[in-house]
Amino acid sequence: MTKKIVANVGIGLGLLALVFLIQLNGASLMFKTVNIWTLLYMVIIFVSLTWVLLRISRHRELRLVTNRLTPQMVLGAVLLALILTASAIGLALFLPSEHGSNQFISYHFLSNDRRLVLVTFVTINLTGPALEELLFRGLILQFISKISHSAVIGLLISTALFTYLHNGQLFDPIYLLSGLGFGYLFFRTKNIGAAIICHQLVNILATIQLFL
């Protein structure tokens, strides 16, 4: 029993370390210039991190795909993305808050360097959401649910960590709602692909809002 507890604590700490490790995916946005090495870095980091996350999911028997992705799941992901986006807009009106990353991201999207715009779009709207879903919903949510024997506890803890990663605090209504939504979709579809699609759409819609 003690060995099992120690092992679970060790795994939990390892997953927490991955929360910060996946930030390497966004390091390309810090480069002063975008060239072939920047693009090569993006590919290597994304592939490497994805490989690590998939290996962990197999080793810990955490199923990322139980049901095949269907058109109905994709439609559900799109509808949920629209609901989460509309909710975020409403919450921002009643509970305004500053997100420092917005100005940073806007600067990159407004750059005259098309390569920088491309790198920003791919990182923020495609690779970032994919890695976050693999980690937070695919690994952390399932692992916590498994050891606590409670899907609710797994959902709440993974959502709190997801929120902290984005805003440096455990309570931010917009990120909390998004995390709960992505987690619900994963539980509902039993396919991490649906959660990834939904997360990517939410980020794309948030990017569009930066210019409205």
Side-chain angles (χ1 to χ4, degrees):
M1 183 66 177
T2 302
K3 286 185 177 181
K4 187 175 182 180
I5 293 175
V6 172
N8 286 334
V9 170
I11 295 170
L13 292 175
L15 292 177
L16 284 177
L18 286 174
V19 170
F20 299 97
L21 184 62
I22 65 171
Q23 296 310 297
L24 288 173
N25 177 66
S28 57
L29 298 179
M30 306 302 295
F31 293 174
K32 293 182 179 179
T33 58
V34 176
N35 50 40
I36 185 63
W37 300 111
T38 309
L39 300 177
L40 184 61
Y41 170 86
M42 284 180 59
V43 173
I44 292 176
I45 288 297
F46 177 68
V47 171
S48 299
L49 290 174
T50 300
W51 180 82
V52 169
L53 295 175
L54 291 177
R55 286 281 296 181
I56 293 174
S57 71
R58 294 194 192 100
H59 181 67
R60 302 310 308 175
E61 297 182 347
L62 303 173
R63 297 290 298 275
L64 301 176
V65 177
T66 301
N67 300 325
R68 70 181 184 85
L69 190 65
T70 64
Q72 289 82 2
M73 290 183 190
V74 174
L75 178 59
V78 173
L79 291 176
L80 181 58
L82 293 174
I83 292 172
L84 291 174
T85 299
S87 299
I89 293 174
L91 286 171
L93 292 174
F94 291 100
L95 300 170
S97 61
E98 289 293 331
H99 297 288
S101 61
N102 286 354
Q103 187 175 2
F104 175 77
I105 295 172
S106 297
Y107 169 79
H108 280 65
F109 275 120
L110 292 172
S111 171
N112 293 323
D113 187 342
R114 293 183 178 179
R115 290 172 297 183
L116 179 58
V117 174
L118 175 62
V119 168
T120 305
F121 180 85
V122 171
T123 301
I124 299 298
N125 297 324
L126 300 180
T127 59
L131 290 172
E132 289 178 8
E133 288 311 307
L134 286 172
L135 176 58
F136 288 102
R137 261 57 69 175
L139 299 186
I140 295 177
L141 187 156
Q142 290 196 86
F143 176 71
I144 298 299
S145 297
K146 190 175 183 180
I147 64 174
S148 67
H149 305 289
S150 172
V152 173
I153 293 177
L155 180 60
L156 292 177
I157 292 179
S158 62
T159 298
L161 290 173
F162 173 76
T163 303
Y164 182 80
L165 172 69
H166 287 84
N167 208 26
Q169 55 185 357
L170 295 177
F171 182 80
D172 182 298
I174 293 177
Y175 288 122
L176 282 174
L177 184 61
S178 295
L180 292 172
F182 301 146
Y184 166 78
L185 185 63
F186 178 58
F187 275 136
R188 181 77 175 180
T189 63
K190 300 189 186 310
N191 189 307
I192 198 65
I196 290 174
I197 291 172
C198 184
H199 194 158
Q200 289 173 334
L201 286 174
V202 167
N203 281 23
I204 289 172
L205 290 171
T207 297
I208 293 174
Q209 291 177 60
L210 293 176
F211 308 101
L212 297 179

